[in-house]
Amino acid sequence: MPPPKKDRTDTPLRSDAQRNRERILRVATEELTRCANAPLSMIAKKAGVGQGTFYRNFPHREALVLEVYRYEMQQVAEAATELLATREPDRALREWMDRLARFALTKVGLADAIRLVTSAPGSPAKPEPAPVTEATELLLRANEEAGTIRPGVSADDFFLAIGGLWQVDASEDWQPRVTRLLDLVMDGLRAGAPGR
């Protein structure tokens, strides 16, 4: 019996291929954020890669859109570790909340593109936000250990508390409103903290 075929994501890419892929993802993020139906040929051209290279990496629109979504979520998730390495846990959490809000509110076109590729019957499912959930847990546990937030807050609790983010109109000046909302959430997390 032959060995099972490896998924493309299991095989490490050469450094030039990895750079091409990352460049495609960066350009696709910008273009899909601007327009959910951005032509793939335009994304390839702006990324400076040929059609063959583009389609080797992303054989169809669905693959590209879902990978952009995963890539963006991974960037937000990785910011949690970076912030914890350079800031006090409560400051890291609050700054990370701002990054999460920026991701949610500046990627409206990307959200539309994801809806387009996942809404038809037989379409692939939207990727689970596992990296962002894990980052949330990491930040919450660091704050709990530091005594800067109330004990026992879960990632589910956190996302319920910030649910208002998804009600904010991204086409208006959303920053002041979101800052107030996230400050309220942070004040709520701090209430009852043993270190206060």
Side-chain angles (χ1 to χ4, degrees), residues 116-196:
L116 285 172
V117 302
T118 60
S119 61
S123 296
K126 181 178 173 182
E128 292 295 318
V132 173
T133 303
E134 290 166 12
T136 305
E137 286 291 348
L138 175 70
L139 286 159
L140 293 173
R141 296 302 63 87
N143 275 276
E144 192 172 320
E145 288 171 20
T148 53
I149 65 168
R150 66 177 50 221
V153 178
S154 69
D156 286 342
D157 297 334
F158 175 82
F159 284 109
L160 282 171
I162 67 165
L165 271 180
W166 287 267
Q167 304 303 314
V168 174
D169 184 351
S171 66
E172 62 184 34
D173 182 20
W174 54 266
Q175 284 101 341
R177 189 171 200 189
V178 166
T179 297
R180 282 193 309 274
L181 171 70
L182 296 179
D183 284 345
L184 284 169
V185 170
M186 196 68 200
D187 288 346
L189 290 170
R190 286 182 176 126
R196 289 188 59 89

Side-chain angles (χ1 to χ4, degrees), residues 7 9 23 40 77 83 100:
D7 185 353
T9 58
R23 202 167 45 247
L40 299 183
L83 288 167
L100 181 62

